[in-house]
Amino acid sequence: MIWYPYQQMKNMNAPYEILKAEGPYLYTKDAKLLDSISSWWSVIYGYHQPQITAAICQQAEKFSHVMLGGLTHKPVEELSEKLAAWLPGDLDYCFFSDSGSVAVEVALKMALQYYVNRGENDRRTVLALEHAYHGDTFKTMSVGDDEDYHFILQVYGKNPYVVHIPTEIAALEKAFVRYGHELNAFIVEPLLQGAGGMRMYDIAFLKRARELCDEYDVLLIFDEVATGFGRTGHRFVADVVLPDILALGKGLTGGHIGHAVTVARKKVFTAFYDDAPEKALMHGPTFMGNALACAAAKASIELYDQLNVTARARHMEEVARKELAGFTDPRIREIRIMGGCACIEVYNAETLAGYQQFAYERGVFARPFLTYLYSMAPYILTDEELIHIYDVMKEWFRNA
Ligand SMILES: Cc1ncc(COP(=O)(O)O)c(C=O)c1O
């Protein structure tokens, strides 16, 4: 039996069975559905993307996987070179893993050990954001701040080594004055907090965070697992404010195979580069640098530039603003739009009950959660397809 995610198995609705997935469409036995959420925001160029599929097939003809323990191979070498050249600044050191959660775990472990390797064992605390979501493994849950996902941790009581703040500069400055010398890292989903409710905040907050991290010698971690690859209208927010460690996942392979990477700047790598074996990073997922995933990721990066995705995401933002901004209904709390993400937040989760089936009947696959009805569609959608997604959302409020 399949144990489905985030679901009460006893009373969950039967999932839609997908028989074919092509471009931005999912096909069930009786419907062709425009996917408005890109399979948890990962299938950014659509399904069965020809270049990515070809890259995977060509690599599969050679070999699918060999471990990176004592072995290496062309696909992983080419991908790490490509990432180093493509990512901003000296974000050049690529540690691969199999999922976004693990990439964030690795980032947090790196930050802690960065100080331990320098003989500073009292930098134990991580600063994080209220409403943060960084994954479902234990350490990522502890820096997360979303009761709906992380309530299980309450059995341990409050974690003394994690401090959460709102995305306000005054709170940020206060936290650094109070905790600055105990912190090893400040971790954020930059500009757009996804699973915590599609919350958006200003770049000024991150610029100030960069200054304070420099002043207090704290590592700045950007979890761009969701925001990376254009979603905010920037290729990476890291292009605007340079973090010390960057975690990427989801769109890395165009959503075709699970893979992720934690990329460090030179100063982080240097703290591990030593004769002492205990200064090595003791982490090694079995499937890190999987050859099929690396081939897919290389093709995904090439596509990003070919399709001019950053410009496309900005255009999607314009379309969303035209279609949604100003739309009102007493049940709507706020409409938020940034890059390739648009979210209608309602006051009451009941308002969205039944929306998924309503959208299904109108040819759209949607998956609102809690009080958030949102779209994070693949970048290849035409304007008409995008507008259809927003029309269905508006129709829901007009009809209900
Ligand atoms: C910001 C962020 N970080 C980490 C993760 C975890 O990624 P994964 O589901 O691949 O473990 C997610 C997943 O939604 C995410 O949105």
Side-chain angles (χ1 to χ4, degrees), residues 137-179:
T137 51
F138 265 60
K139 185 65 193 173
T140 61
M141 284 200 292
S142 78
V143 292
D145 176 44
D146 194 311
E147 287 308 297
D148 296 296
Y149 297 99
H150 308 317
F151 67 92
I152 184 82
L153 289 187
Q154 283 169 5
V155 297
Y156 296 120
K158 171 143 181 43
N159 186 327
Y161 298 119
V162 179
V163 174
H164 288 103
I165 56 166
T167 51
E168 292 158 13
I169 291 183
L172 175 71
E173 291 176 341
K174 204 164 146 209
F176 270 84
V177 171
R178 167 76 180 78
Y179 302 103

Side-chain angles (χ1 to χ4, degrees), residues 220-236:
L220 181 60
I221 302 175
F222 277 8
D223 173 355
E224 294 221 50
V225 169
T227 58
F229 294 87
R231 198 48 83 181
T232 64
H234 299 285
R235 188 182 62 145
F236 299 100

Side-chain angles (χ1 to χ4, degrees), residues 187-217:
I187 183 165
V188 297
E189 292 161 86
L191 294 186
L192 169 63
Q193 296 183 282
M198 306 298 161
R199 292 162 199 270
M200 299 165 189
Y201 62 93
D202 202 86
I203 194 77
F205 179 86
L206 295 174
K207 289 187 175 158
R208 186 71 186 121
R210 180 66 274 175
E211 287 170 1
L212 288 164
C213 284
D214 290 341
E215 191 180 327
Y216 286 84
D217 188 19

Side-chain angles (χ1 to χ4, degrees), residues 46-267:
Y47 297 92
H48 196 201
Q49 203 292 326
Q51 275 127 294
I52 299 179
T53 305
I56 294 169
C57 292
Q58 278 161 22
Q59 181 54 41
E61 289 296 328
K62 297 177 192 146
F63 59 91
S64 298
H65 181 67
V66 295
M67 68 172 180
L68 290 194
L71 303 173
T72 193
H73 52 79
K74 269 246 147 16
V76 73
E77 283 169 4
E78 284 176 3
L79 176 60
S80 57
E81 273 165 31
K82 190 137 202 124
L83 281 167
W86 202 55
L87 293 173
D90 59 345
L91 281 165
D92 290 345
Y93 300 87
C94 303
F95 191 97
F96 295 98
S97 55
D98 25 32
S99 74
S101 300
V102 177
V104 177
E105 289 282 341
V106 170
L108 293 165
K109 191 193 265 192
M110 253 181 204
L112 180 63
Q113 195 176 343
Y114 171 82
Y115 293 95
V116 172
N117 282 0
R118 292 178 5 176
E120 296 176 53
N121 289 356
D122 48 1
R123 293 270 198 169
R124 292 178 200 152
T125 306
V126 177
L127 186 64
L129 294 178
E130 288 176 3
H131 307 292
Y133 175 86
H134 294 289
D136 288 342
T137 51
F138 265 60
K139 185 65 193 173
T140 61
M141 284 200 292
S142 78
V143 292
D145 176 44
D146 194 311
E147 287 308 297
D148 296 296
Y149 297 99
H150 308 317
F151 67 92
I152 184 82
L153 289 187
Q154 283 169 5
V155 297
Y156 296 120
K158 171 143 181 43
N159 186 327
Y161 298 119
V162 179
V163 174
H164 288 103
I165 56 166
T167 51
E168 292 158 13
I169 291 183
L172 175 71
E173 291 176 341
K174 204 164 146 209
F176 270 84
V177 171
R178 167 76 180 78
Y179 302 103
H181 298 289
E182 300 165 35
L183 297 179
N184 59 64
F186 179 30
I187 183 165
V188 297
E189 292 161 86
L191 294 186
L192 169 63
Q193 296 183 282
M198 306 298 161
R199 292 162 199 270
M200 299 165 189
Y201 62 93
D202 202 86
I203 194 77
F205 179 86
L206 295 174
K207 289 187 175 158
R208 186 71 186 121
R210 180 66 274 175
E211 287 170 1
L212 288 164
C213 284
D214 290 341
E215 191 180 327
Y216 286 84
D217 188 19
V218 172
L219 294 178
L220 181 60
I221 302 175
F222 277 8
D223 173 355
E224 294 221 50
V225 169
T227 58
F229 294 87
R231 198 48 83 181
T232 64
H234 299 285
R235 188 182 62 145
F236 299 100
V237 184
D239 288 326
V240 189
V241 174
L242 191 66
D244 299 300
I245 303 176
L246 173 68
L248 302 176
K250 295 189 187 282
L252 177 68
T253 61
H256 280 51
I257 304 184
H259 220 62
V261 64
T262 310
V263 192
R265 288 175 70 180
K266 185 165 186 184
K267 76 165 186 181

